[in-house]
Amino acid sequence: MITITVFRSAAGVYKGFVCEGHAGYANRGKDIVCASVSTLVINTINSIEAFCHQAFECAEEKDSIRLELTASPTKETTLLLDSMVFGLQAIEQEYQERYLKVECREV
């Protein structure tokens, strides 16, 4: 299962997220859930970098990627992260949380 943990302040301000695991919907290379999640996550990170002038740190490991905002999010960054969470929650609902779990954690 893929677990996405989104970190927000008590006021709801994004601080970052971590995406870990493998969906297990199908074999690697044929897993549409993993492909969908990867597309949303990587596109969000790339878009924040290309369009938002947002300070952040990003780290990748095997089956894991973490984004940490190192400054308050811009309006555009917030919109992109809202969009990513919206898409991920739609996938989570479609598959009844069997392959993807989206969690929000206050930090």
Side-chain angles (χ1 to χ4, degrees):
M1 174 183 284
I2 298 171
T3 302
I4 308 255
T5 306
V6 178
F7 302 104
R8 295 184 187 180
S9 71
V13 176
Y14 285 106
K15 299 295 183 181
F17 66 85
V18 63
C19 176
E20 302 174 293
H22 180 69
Y25 179 82
N27 292 331
R28 288 184 187 269
K30 299 193 184 296
D31 193 321
I32 61 171
V33 175
C34 267
S36 299
V37 169
S38 294
T39 299
L40 283 169
V41 168
I42 299 301
N43 188 67
T44 298
I45 293 168
N46 290 341
S47 294
I48 290 170
E49 182 175 41
F51 304 125
C52 299
H53 310 291
Q54 176 72 54
F56 69 90
E57 292 180 5
C58 189
E60 264 186 275
E61 295 180 19
K62 186 178 187 315
D63 294 333
S64 172
I65 190 162
R66 173 182 290 272
L67 173 89
E68 180 181 345
L69 301 178
T70 56
S72 295
T74 65
K75 182 179 174 181
E76 295 81 6
T77 296
T78 298
L79 178 61
L80 287 169
L81 289 168
D82 282 343
S83 180
M84 180 191 78
V85 170
F86 180 77
L88 292 169
Q89 288 173 334
I91 296 167
E92 179 184 42
Q93 283 184 322
E94 177 68 25
Y95 294 97
Q96 295 89 38
E97 299 181 10
R98 287 189 306 237
Y99 306 104
L100 172 63
K101 178 71 178 154
V102 180
E103 304 172 335
C104 292
R105 187 173 300 158
E106 187 177 308
V107 293

